[in-house]
Amino acid sequence: MLLDSVRGQQHATAALRAALSGGRVPHALLFSGPAGVGKATAAREVAKALLCAGGPAAYCGSCGPCRRVDAGTHSDLYILAPQAQKASITVEEIRDISRRLYESPMEGSRKAAIIDPADLMTVGAQNALLKTLEEPPDDTTIILIAENTDALLPTVRSRCRRVDFRRLAVEEVEDFLASQGVDKENARQIAVLSDGSFGAALELVDGTVAVSRRELAGAVMRATRKDVSALTERIASGDKPARKSLKDKRQETRALLAVLESFVVDAMRVAARSDVRTNTDMVAEISSFAEAVGLDALSALEKEVSDGIIVLGQYADVRLVAMRIVGAFAAANESANTQIEAS
């Protein structure tokens, strides 16, 4: 069935199926929600239905046009994303794709465009897109994908039909991982650390990524002031920095902060004398950290990390967020050491 590959987003997929089957697809859609929850998958599926040889109401998923959408070779599907190492989508890129959308379709009778992430368009780019949204080409659908819809101009938002995608429950991510062959214990731990994102969970399934991330989070937990600069750079650069876009780096940093947050929450449980643990392989280190720092400082650190995850979703600067959080851990550790020495 159409959109079956989008898991855990029943409200969104039901609305999209109804629009497609009833021939009521608007000229512009805005898919909003956290990273890694199915927005891009849904956008490609909607584009595939629109470009299917049988049309949206008779979507097959297997005809030539559908296969070319899957392969990324369909001539009437345009996908726009920031180039690697670039922080924005420019006015020139929007003008180019708009010009293409006003041309006649090359294969069928419709065209589709996906802009991901649309919240990285500059103000000039958004104003350029606005003209296309106000006077859309016939038989064309533009899909905007955004985590932070507040970064879009109100006039852009108002000309799109919004479809919200929610953060997934731990149990939904756990079930998904189990369907991918991940054993129950690991599936549960990864689901807790995934921040409600299938994308983050799949990254954590890669053992090397998970170990690297946990080692770095552990280093932040032990940080002193002399470590702040080096740890900030490690977090901001990520693995193979030359190959990563700024969007990838933000998502990678948010995943790292989710691991770090789980360490702090476990430490708070230790300080509160609770026996519940997420990170059962780090009980001794987390317990030592909890006893040294204390519950009040842990609560402040948990808020710092949680706020960091939120602002990264709003495209805050990765390096500044990393420096603030590492600095907070360094200050907490040094304060704890000072108190120990004084006693």
Side-chain angles (χ1 to χ4, degrees), residues 13 33 113 124 151 155 167 173 176 198 228 232 256 261 313 321 339 341:
T13 54
T155 46
R167 196 176 302 281
V173 179
F176 166 70
F198 287 143
V228 171
T232 296
L256 166 68
E261 185 176 37
V321 172
Q339 291 177 18
E341 290 170 2

Side-chain angles (χ1 to χ4, degrees), residues 150-170:
D150 288 340
L152 296 174
L153 296 173
T155 46
V156 170
R157 296 198 304 265
S158 68
R159 285 162 175 80
C160 300
R161 180 181 298 176
R162 179 165 170 164
V163 181
D164 291 325
F165 289 71
R166 63 183 180 83
R167 196 176 302 281
L168 299 153
V170 169

Side-chain angles (χ1 to χ4, degrees), residues 138-195:
D138 293 336
D139 297 320
T140 296
T141 297
I142 301 170
I143 304 173
L144 309 183
I145 299 176
E147 286 185 65
N148 179 23
T149 55
D150 288 340
L152 296 174
L153 296 173
T155 46
V156 170
R157 296 198 304 265
S158 68
R159 285 162 175 80
C160 300
R161 180 181 298 176
R162 179 165 170 164
V163 181
D164 291 325
F165 289 71
R166 63 183 180 83
R167 196 176 302 281
L168 299 153
V170 169
E171 292 75 18
E172 291 173 312
V173 179
E174 186 177 1
D175 289 345
F176 166 70
L177 292 172
S179 74
Q180 303 299 304
V182 179
D183 66 84
K184 184 175 181 179
E185 183 176 348
N186 282 332
R188 180 66 182 181
Q189 187 175 67
I190 291 171
V192 169
L193 300 177
S194 70
D195 195 29

Side-chain angles (χ1 to χ4, degrees), residues 33-219:
V37 298
K39 302 187 302 298
T41 301
R44 192 173 285 270
E45 286 290 294
V46 169
K48 187 160 62 171
L50 292 169
L51 300 174
C52 177
Y59 166 78
C60 68
S62 59
C63 64
C66 285
R67 292 196 303 273
R68 286 192 288 280
V69 169
D70 286 335
T73 59
H74 198 294
S75 302
D76 295 322
L77 173 60
Y78 305 96
I79 299 177
L80 179 57
Q83 298 179 21
Q85 301 299 308
K86 286 196 173 182
S88 61
I89 294 174
T90 66
V91 62
E92 291 80 10
E93 291 170 313
I94 290 296
R95 285 173 178 164
D96 178 66
I97 201 170
S98 295
R99 175 182 58 79
R100 294 170 181 266
L101 291 176
Y102 279 104
E103 296 172 353
S104 298
M106 298 180 68
E107 293 194 33
S109 60
R110 295 189 65 95
K111 299 181 297 297
I114 299 171
I115 303 176
D116 179 21
D119 36 351
L120 285 189
M121 288 188 291
T122 65
V123 172
Q126 293 187 52
N127 280 320
L129 179 65
L130 189 58
K131 178 176 174 55
T132 306
L133 296 177
E134 290 172 339
E135 301 174 10
D138 293 336
D139 297 320
T140 296
T141 297
I142 301 170
I143 304 173
L144 309 183
I145 299 176
E147 286 185 65
N148 179 23
T149 55
D150 288 340
L152 296 174
L153 296 173
T155 46
V156 170
R157 296 198 304 265
S158 68
R159 285 162 175 80
C160 300
R161 180 181 298 176
R162 179 165 170 164
V163 181
D164 291 325
F165 289 71
R166 63 183 180 83
R167 196 176 302 281
L168 299 153
V170 169
E171 292 75 18
E172 291 173 312
V173 179
E174 186 177 1
D175 289 345
F176 166 70
L177 292 172
S179 74
Q180 303 299 304
V182 179
D183 66 84
K184 184 175 181 179
E185 183 176 348
N186 282 332
R188 180 66 182 181
Q189 187 175 67
I190 291 171
V192 169
L193 300 177
S194 70
D195 195 29
S197 164
F198 287 143
L202 288 172
E203 280 193 356
L204 288 168
V205 170
D206 180 343
T208 58
V209 171
V211 169
S212 173
R213 209 166 271 165
R214 290 172 72 79
E215 287 177 348
L216 183 51

Side-chain angles (χ1 to χ4, degrees), residues 1-5 17 45 59:
M1 182 187 294
L2 174 62
L3 294 165
D4 269 358
S5 58
R17 286 192 190 105
E45 286 290 294
Y59 166 78

